[in-house]
Amino acid sequence: MDTPPSGPLRGIKVLEMGQLIAGPFAAKTLADFGADVIKIEPPGSGDPLRQWRLLHEGTSVWWQVQSRNKRSVALDLRQPEARELVRRLIDECDVLIENFKPGVMEAWGFDHATLARSNPGLVMLRISGYGQTGPNRDLPGFGVVAEAMGGLRHLSGEPGRVPVRVGVSIGDTLASLHGVIGVLMALHHRHATGQGQVVDVALYEAVFNCMESLLPEYSAFGVVREAAGSALPGIAPSNAYACADGWVLVAGNGDSIFTRLMDAIGRGDLARDPALVGNAARVARVAEIDDAIGAWTARRTVSDVLDALKSAQVPAGRIYTARDIAEDPHYRARGMIESITTADGLTLDVPGIVPKLSATPGAITRRAPTLGEDTEAVLREVGVSDAQLQALRERGIL
């Protein structure tokens, strides 16, 4: 698979200098929609993500998703000559993405003010734990720490028990998506003015931005929201309920939905109880409502519960595993599972493209690259000759 890029970002060139998750996920999202993403990696080892989790022929299958539609250039940035090559690449790019600790880019001479002298339209996305300013600026920051500082970890898990992490690197991903939003807004501004800018994304701020009513409730009422397990505090009923063979999620928190739900479980008395009209009234009696739903689901299989609630038009769903996702026809119908072939010949199912654009959809046009696969081709594009490439190889810069 190697077809010309397509999509709304075709013609936008991106240089990715990040590693692992936050920066590369942002670049992957831009690449999915046609941006030409050039990824800089250290020779020999490459991005550490290449070795994370389950490997096939020595390379992570996660890598095949995170680095699709990208080109890999291997350069040893400890060498001044390598940094000069990167500078030439930056001068040709629209967007520069980095997720190093603040100060690293400045030490290399890659601060935005310096870069903008020769590329005034450059948009620079900087993702870090705490942002480029503030008293925590220089602290090392990973997504899991950001999730804690952003307020998410305190709400995760069962009341009174150890706060648990979400099973994926959600803090990094949220920061990535905020970064993509910032890049697109900055490109829109550049279209009008010709001027680039810095997009400064802090991991903890991206998490905090998704914390809904957490802060205003504390500000107005002094309420510190606590963990609530599978329930949704202040919204009723919305919970996970045990079935004879598993668990099911039920969201019956709309007035008309609640009525249909109670009728479906044989509790017409609750459906027509005037004291249960409105969400606030249901919240006050949420334990009673949850007990009624739980008693009904406990005597039925997940499939039986879902069939009954589907007929009643009540939002409900099973808790999906990877197997459930792979076998679900709706995922396939929406193009959310695509099949690729990796560089080592593995046929692999991977997530499709999100979001769905009607006129300019994204696409997987290139498999994830091997380390340094595109180094010479990319450097030739900025005028490096074959003789210069040979000299760079001999000095161990490539």
Side-chain angles (χ1 to χ4, degrees):
M1 178 185 297
D2 192 356
T3 58
S6 61
L9 298 181
R10 183 178 181 182
I12 296 295
K13 183 170 284 190
V14 178
L15 191 70
E16 178 198 310
M17 295 184 68
Q19 60 181 8
L20 295 176
I21 304 173
F25 189 94
K28 186 268 290 187
T29 303
L30 298 173
D32 281 350
F33 289 92
D36 177 13
V37 174
I38 299 167
K39 179 177 180 63
I40 304 298
E41 300 185 76
S45 58
D47 189 322
L49 191 76
R50 289 180 177 272
Q51 301 299 314
W52 275 26
R53 292 191 57 80
L54 302 185
L55 311 183
H56 179 267
E57 300 293 336
T59 300
S60 168
V61 293
W62 185 358
W63 171 260
Q64 310 302 336
V65 178
Q66 189 83 312
S67 295
R68 68 191 186 194
N69 292 330
K70 300 179 185 180
R71 297 193 283 170
S72 171
V73 171
L75 289 171
D76 183 357
L77 293 178
R78 297 171 299 180
Q79 306 286 344
E81 296 96 329
R83 295 195 294 272
E84 178 56 34
L85 291 170
V86 168
R87 178 63 183 271
R88 291 168 67 173
L89 291 171
I90 292 172
D91 282 347
E92 299 294 323
C93 284
D94 302 284
V95 179
L96 170 62
I97 296 176
E98 64 95 6
N99 64 333
F100 298 117
K101 185 177 177 181
V104 170
M105 295 294 279
E106 286 79 2
W108 286 338
F110 294 154
D111 58 283
H112 187 265
T114 299
L115 298 174
R117 293 176 194 151
S118 54
N119 187 356
L122 180 69
V123 173
M124 186 175 183
L125 171 58
R126 312 195 69 177
I127 303 179
S128 61
Y130 303 97
Q132 300 299 313
T133 60
N136 289 355
R137 171 186 183 270
D138 295 322
L139 295 178
F142 268 32
V144 64
V145 179
E147 292 158 26
M149 185 175 180
L152 178 62
R153 180 62 73 96
H154 184 68
L155 302 182
S156 301
E158 298 289 339
R161 303 189 67 181
V162 61
V164 300
R165 70 170 297 163
V166 177
V168 294
S169 303
I170 193 69
D172 292 288
T173 304
L174 288 174
S176 299
L177 295 176
H178 280 82
V180 170
I181 294 168
V183 164
L184 296 179
M185 289 190 290
L187 288 173
H188 181 73
H189 173 77
R190 189 188 71 170
H191 180 72
T193 67
Q195 296 301 306
Q197 60 183 296
V198 175
V199 180
D200 179 2
V201 175
L203 271 67
Y204 85 95
E205 290 169 356
V207 174
F208 177 59
N209 193 37
C210 299
M211 285 294 98
E212 301 175 349
S213 61
L214 185 76
L215 182 61
E217 287 176 354
Y218 175 75
S219 179
F221 309 113
V223 172
V224 176
R225 185 167 169 177
E226 302 291 345
S230 63
L232 184 59
I235 308 292
S238 182
N239 212 331
Y241 302 92
C243 299
D245 61 346
W247 293 84
V248 66
L249 293 174
V250 179
N253 44 288
D255 291 345
S256 60
I257 297 173
F258 174 74
T259 299
R260 296 196 300 273
L261 171 59
M262 292 300 102
D263 283 337
I265 69 172
R267 292 301 304 268
D269 58 317
L270 296 178
R272 272 157 281 284
D273 186 339
L276 289 176
V277 175
N279 180 68
R282 293 191 295 273
V283 169
R285 293 169 60 183
V286 65
E288 176 187 356
I289 294 169
D290 277 346
D291 286 345
I293 299 170
W296 179 76
T297 60
R299 302 189 302 270
R300 292 164 174 82
T301 66
V302 170
S303 294
D304 288 342
V305 168
L306 293 178
D307 287 344
L309 297 185
K310 179 180 179 181
S311 297
Q313 289 291 291
V314 173
R318 68 175 69 248
I319 298 173
Y320 273 44
T321 66
R323 180 179 293 106
D324 295 320
I325 290 171
E327 296 176 354
D328 190 294
H330 190 79
Y331 270 83
R332 300 280 178 179
R334 292 275 298 168
M336 280 313 303
I337 298 178
E338 296 198 30
S339 181
I340 65 166
T341 301
T342 68
D344 55 22
L346 176 66
T347 299
L348 194 66
D349 281 349
V350 297
I353 307 294
V354 179
K356 307 295 184 188
L357 275 62
S358 62
T360 54
I364 302 175
T365 58
R366 290 174 57 97
R367 59 163 173 75
T370 57
L371 178 58
E373 180 175 348
D374 307 288
T375 301
E376 294 187 4
V378 168
L379 293 181
R380 286 192 182 99
E381 291 173 6
V382 291
V384 179
S385 69
D386 288 345
Q388 290 171 318
L389 287 171
Q390 179 61 30
L392 292 168
R393 281 194 295 269
E394 290 172 355
R395 296 203 298 275
I397 295 168
L398 302 186

